[in-house]
Amino acid sequence: MADKEVLAHETSVEIDAPIEEVWKALTEAKDIARWFAPNMTVEPGAGGEMVADWGPGIVWKNAIEVWEPNRHLRLVETRDHFISASPAEDKMEPCRLLQDYYLEAKGGKTVLRMVHSGFGTSSNWIQEYEGTRDGWAVCFLRLKTLLERHKNDTVHNLMLTALCYGMDYVKAMAEIVAALPKAFEITLRGKYSISGFIRDVNDSILSVSVQPSSMGTVAYLELMLYGLPDEKAKAIENEWRAKLSQIFPTAAATPAT
């Protein structure tokens, strides 16, 4: 693997929060679950492990290689397949991927820079490269919003998936976009994803991503709902589950919990 050509991309964000709070949000399970995967497990320190769990088939395990509090975190994995809710296992050549998070204090704020490297150059790895490049921008939008505007609010972190058999990702994304509420304001748009704010729901964040696969497309709809009672959050979840079932009548719209 060391002799293969590999790709890398970089994402950075300035967060109006102390560096200690940003480090905590990157490394403590209950805090990561407020902006990343809803179920997190962390064995802290170099030699430990971080596991992000969105539900069946969508579990991401990384070893912790570098642990320098408030400075540098490195996560490492070797993988030969897509992490996906699809029943098809789309294989790729094995690659060793690194996530390097660098933190720098700047005038009371924190600059967070993340370099994700080690992607292969086959077509499947290019898809993964492009998807994660856009995906990290979405994740850092959630992190910044959480720490700057919703630090003390409850967060309902929800994800629904739909298996869109025989449908290409462009069509699947267009179908979901057509069903978005009028109060939704798109902030980020990538090749495989969109993300933005639901202004009339406490500026909660809704993200949609689509993953081409051998069986069609897997669509993921993620909600970060801030400051809502449980019953209201559940009603929004049920509303979107019904919408996905209506949009993709032959698909399985399931909660990733």
Side-chain angles (χ1 to χ4, degrees):
M1 287 184 291
D3 297 330
K4 292 182 180 179
E5 181 183 0
V6 295
L7 300 174
H9 54 69
E10 182 176 317
T11 307
S12 62
V13 64
E14 183 177 86
I15 302 173
D16 189 3
I19 199 167
E20 295 82 5
E21 289 186 6
V22 178
W23 175 260
K24 187 170 177 282
L26 292 173
T27 58
E28 295 195 12
K30 64 182 178 58
D31 294 288
I32 308 171
R34 287 168 57 83
W35 65 274
F36 194 55
N39 301 294
M40 294 294 310
T41 304
V42 177
E43 180 186 341
E49 184 180 61
M50 192 173 291
V51 181
D53 185 350
W54 287 268
I58 324 174
V59 178
W60 193 13
K61 297 182 180 180
N62 284 274
I64 300 172
E65 190 170 270
V66 176
W67 181 280
E68 299 177 4
N70 306 325
R71 292 184 57 200
H72 183 198
L73 172 70
R74 174 181 292 162
L75 305 181
V76 181
E77 63 166 329
T78 297
R79 184 155 46 83
D80 64 355
H81 62 280
F82 283 120
I83 296 172
S84 174
S86 169
E89 188 173 4
D90 294 312
K91 285 286 190 176
M92 305 182 282
E93 73 273 20
C95 284
R96 183 175 187 266
L97 295 101
L98 308 178
Q99 300 166 53
D100 280 293
Y101 300 81
Y102 300 98
L103 294 81
E104 179 184 358
K106 185 178 180 181
K109 300 180 181 180
T110 302
V111 176
L112 172 62
R113 181 171 66 91
M114 197 275 279
V115 180
H116 201 167
S117 61
F119 299 93
T121 56
S122 66
S123 59
N124 278 352
W125 275 117
I126 293 296
Q127 179 184 320
E128 173 103 355
Y129 170 87
E130 293 175 338
T132 54
R133 179 190 58 198
D134 295 338
W136 282 118
V138 173
C139 289
F140 281 10
L141 172 67
R142 296 180 192 144
L143 177 59
K144 178 180 175 69
T145 300
L146 173 72
L147 292 180
E148 292 185 351
R149 297 162 59 183
H150 297 288
K151 185 166 56 177
N152 298 316
D153 289 339
T154 58
V155 179
H156 288 85
N157 181 352
L158 309 170
M159 184 165 81
L160 300 176
T161 65
L163 309 181
C164 314
Y165 293 101
M167 183 180 293
D168 69 61
Y169 75 92
V170 176
K171 174 67 171 173
M173 177 65 83
E175 294 285 349
I176 297 174
V177 168
L180 292 173
K182 291 181 179 179
F184 180 67
E185 180 183 299
I186 296 176
T187 302
L188 296 172
R189 187 189 294 270
K191 181 175 181 179
Y192 299 109
S193 65
I194 61 167
S195 186
F197 295 96
I198 312 173
R199 292 301 186 191
D200 61 354
V201 186
N202 295 343
D203 284 345
S204 293
I205 296 178
L206 184 152
S207 306
V208 178
S209 60
V210 289
Q211 182 185 64
S213 87
S214 57
M215 46 63 67
T217 299
V218 186
Y220 303 90
L221 188 142
E222 297 179 78
L223 290 158
M224 293 287 170
L225 303 174
Y226 303 117
L228 298 184
D230 291 348
E231 60 271 18
K232 175 64 173 175
K234 189 65 177 179
I236 292 173
E237 176 187 349
N238 288 339
E239 178 185 352
W240 269 107
R241 193 182 306 172
K243 282 185 180 182
L244 289 176
S245 296
Q246 183 177 18
I247 295 169
F248 309 115
T250 61
T254 58
T257 57

